[in-house]
Amino acid sequence: MPMDDVPPISDLETILDSGKIAARIRGLGEEISRDYRGRTPHLIGVLKGAWIFMADLIRAFSIDTTVDFLGIETYGSGTAPSGEVKITRDLDMTIAGRDVLIVEDILDTGRTYQYLRGVLSAHKPKSLKLVTLLNKASRRAVPVEADYVGFEVPDVFVVGYGLDYRQRFRQLPDVRRLRGGDFGETLPAPPR
Ligand code: IMP
Ligand code: MG
């Protein structure tokens, strides 16, 4: 068994290479800049997974923005989140009256976003939208959708470009899937 039950990097299969990600992010940056023209959206990155995506996305904007971060912990295992969400790092800035754009790494069951939307709406932003790099539409458990999606992905566990498995693989420049044996569609629960 590999160290810490985490496979070696060489076992991961690339499903989105860095060139394809960069091209799609340029497109998203143009689309969002067009939609928010004349406004200064307030981007809220959901830590830790969204940090790399957010850094590239805002550099593809032709409009000005402000940024903040929210730390989130989802209880339950990686493949079967319980839907209980805890805020581990709160916002620095007020969002009242702002055009808020939440930045996520992946929309899976949708429970995290459903929770965040409820909490943030209570603070009366002018608008509230979601941009997610990846969308696993087939996994949705609650009726929420993203306003902007980078890529649709199948029901496989993906890592890299900010996404982790047991806190590993965030540094990979592309999106890869865990495969083989224990690392296919069914995964052992990551430690919490
Ligand atoms: P939700 O199920 O939409 O609430 O997503 C919860 C969180 O689970 C996401 O923000 C990710 O951090 C994580 N997650 C879901 N699917 C994957 C995956 O395939 N790889 C890495 N993290 C994932
Ligand atoms: Mg996340």
Side-chain angles (χ1 to χ4, degrees):
M1 190 51 95
M3 190 177 61
D4 302 332
D5 290 346
V6 172
I9 288 173
S10 57
D11 274 10
L12 306 176
E13 180 191 356
T14 299
I15 61 168
L16 296 169
D17 68 39
S18 56
K20 201 171 170 188
I21 295 169
R24 180 67 189 117
I25 289 176
R26 277 195 298 275
L28 278 176
E30 284 167 18
E31 188 184 347
I32 293 169
S33 297
R34 214 182 304 124
D35 291 354
Y36 287 85
R37 191 168 21 225
R39 294 184 282 165
T40 303
H42 184 56
L43 271 64
I44 297 179
V46 182
L47 296 173
K48 302 177 199 126
W51 135 71
I52 291 178
F53 172 46
M54 183 161 162
D56 283 343
L57 180 69
I58 60 173
R59 284 178 292 176
F61 282 3
S62 56
I63 50 169
D64 197 8
T65 68
T66 53
V67 297
D68 205 347
F69 293 94
L70 200 52
I72 287 290
E73 226 171 70
T74 312
Y75 295 106
S77 79
T79 51
S82 65
E84 280 180 71
V85 178
K86 186 175 95 176
I87 292 179
T88 56
R89 184 215 180 271
D90 208 346
L91 299 174
D92 286 337
M93 298 160 70
T94 178
I95 61 168
R98 298 298 309 274
D99 289 302
V100 172
L101 184 58
I102 300 174
V103 184
E104 264 282 24
D105 51 358
I106 188 165
L107 188 61
D108 185 33
T109 65
R111 290 192 174 105
T112 304
Y113 178 49
Q114 187 182 51
Y115 172 82
L116 280 183
R117 208 170 58 170
V119 167
L120 296 181
S121 297
H123 290 91
K124 304 272 182 263
K126 185 175 172 204
S127 66
L128 183 58
K129 287 189 175 184
L130 172 69
V131 54
T132 185
L133 176 70
L134 305 175
N135 184 35
K136 271 188 202 173
S138 62
R139 292 258 307 162
R140 205 75 84 248
V142 292
V144 295
E145 286 309 326
D147 300 279
Y148 304 95
V149 172
F151 299 94
E152 298 291 335
V153 290
D155 182 12
V156 295
F157 199 83
V158 293
V159 297
Y161 198 75
L163 291 101
D164 74 301
Y165 175 63
R166 300 191 176 191
Q167 299 301 324
R168 303 274 289 273
F169 307 125
R170 293 191 198 274
Q171 79 285 354
L172 295 170
D174 34 37
V175 172
R176 305 187 194 189
R177 63 170 290 187
L178 299 182
R179 65 177 176 187
D182 293 337
F183 302 108
E185 271 91 297
T186 52
L187 278 176
R192 290 285 157 177

